[in-house]
Amino acid sequence: MFHVGMAAMSEHENQPVAEAYDFPPVGTVVDVGGGHGGLLLEVLRRQAGLHGVLYDQGHVLAGHRLGDHDDVTGRWTVAEGDFFSSVPRGDIYLLKRILHDWDDEQSATILRNCERAMAPGGRILVIDAVVPPGDLPHQSKTLDLMMMASLGGRQRTRRDFVQLFDEAGLRLEKIVPTSTVLSVVEAVSVSGS
């Protein structure tokens, strides 16, 4: 029920996120903790040369909906696993509303696993609300309190992402806003691989 609810909540975000980022024309996109595949579906629809891997736990993948769409037939696979242990090899990693569930140490573990598996020149895209500086109200600040109280995670500022990426051997490349509360926070490997 949780994953059905998350898929429904994410539905209005997936298209604006996929439209906001300039995805490459070819390569493999790994949706880490990608649930039922809504974001991966939107990304694959925008770039016909991309292949996708929907990566999550088996019971979640059982409800995926990628097979319901002829326009992406033959361009995706599912892979079962635990992102705290490893992730499949790819060029682009999507982590939508994943890191905000976890503390910095756990988040760094997930990011290090992505960095180790990432093809040379790859990118990690953390798709989350970025907390702006100052005391003005912002939806990300409400989300921050909810994540802290319910899961022990948190929303992060730009500075928080810089520090987290540094811990994982990554460098913040850019932050791309979307028409939703979410931004695409792009990281690259500091080793240049």
Side-chain angles (χ1 to χ4, degrees):
M1 286 177 55
F2 172 80
H3 294 288
V4 169
M6 287 302 296
M9 183 186 82
S10 292
E11 202 57 41
H12 75 280
E13 300 168 336
N14 292 331
Q15 186 174 352
V17 167
E19 288 174 349
Y21 185 79
D22 186 19
F23 286 92
V26 296
T28 299
V29 178
V30 181
D31 194 351
V32 178
H36 291 172
L39 177 59
L40 184 58
L41 174 64
E42 292 299 330
V43 170
L44 294 178
R45 283 178 164 164
R46 272 155 190 71
Q47 290 290 359
L50 288 176
H51 180 270
V53 179
L54 182 61
Y55 183 68
D56 213 315
Q57 296 179 342
H59 70 279
V60 179
L61 293 172
H64 83 80
R65 55 192 190 91
L66 293 172
D68 298 338
H69 303 277
D70 293 338
D71 55 344
V72 297
T73 298
R75 295 196 296 123
W76 58 269
T77 58
V78 296
E80 181 179 344
D82 175 2
F83 52 54
F84 287 113
S85 299
S86 66
V87 298
R89 185 146 177 87
D91 301 291
I92 301 284
Y93 289 85
L94 306 176
L95 293 114
K96 181 175 177 243
R97 292 190 182 266
I98 299 297
L99 296 187
H100 76 168
D101 290 349
W102 308 101
D103 65 27
D104 287 349
E105 183 178 334
Q106 294 164 313
S107 294
T109 296
I110 297 166
L111 290 168
R112 277 192 293 271
N113 287 336
C114 293
E115 195 276 337
R116 279 194 285 272
M118 188 166 57
R123 301 277 189 262
I124 297 172
L125 308 180
V126 177
I127 301 153
D128 245 323
V130 178
V131 179
D135 295 329
L136 292 176
H138 191 268
Q139 188 180 1
S140 64
K141 295 173 183 179
T142 305
L143 290 171
D144 187 32
L145 290 172
M146 288 172 42
M147 299 314 297
M148 182 177 54
S150 62
L151 296 170
R154 66 190 184 110
Q155 300 302 137
R156 292 175 171 88
T157 64
R158 178 187 183 92
R159 184 175 173 183
D160 292 333
F161 277 113
V162 168
Q163 292 171 342
L164 179 61
F165 291 161
D166 184 58
E167 177 69 24
L170 300 165
R171 180 182 73 245
L172 190 149
E173 191 75 1
K174 63 184 172 183
I175 297 177
V176 179
T178 74
S179 60
T180 73
V181 69
L182 303 176
S183 292
V184 180
V185 185
E186 181 187 68
V188 297
S189 176
V190 295
S191 68
S193 59

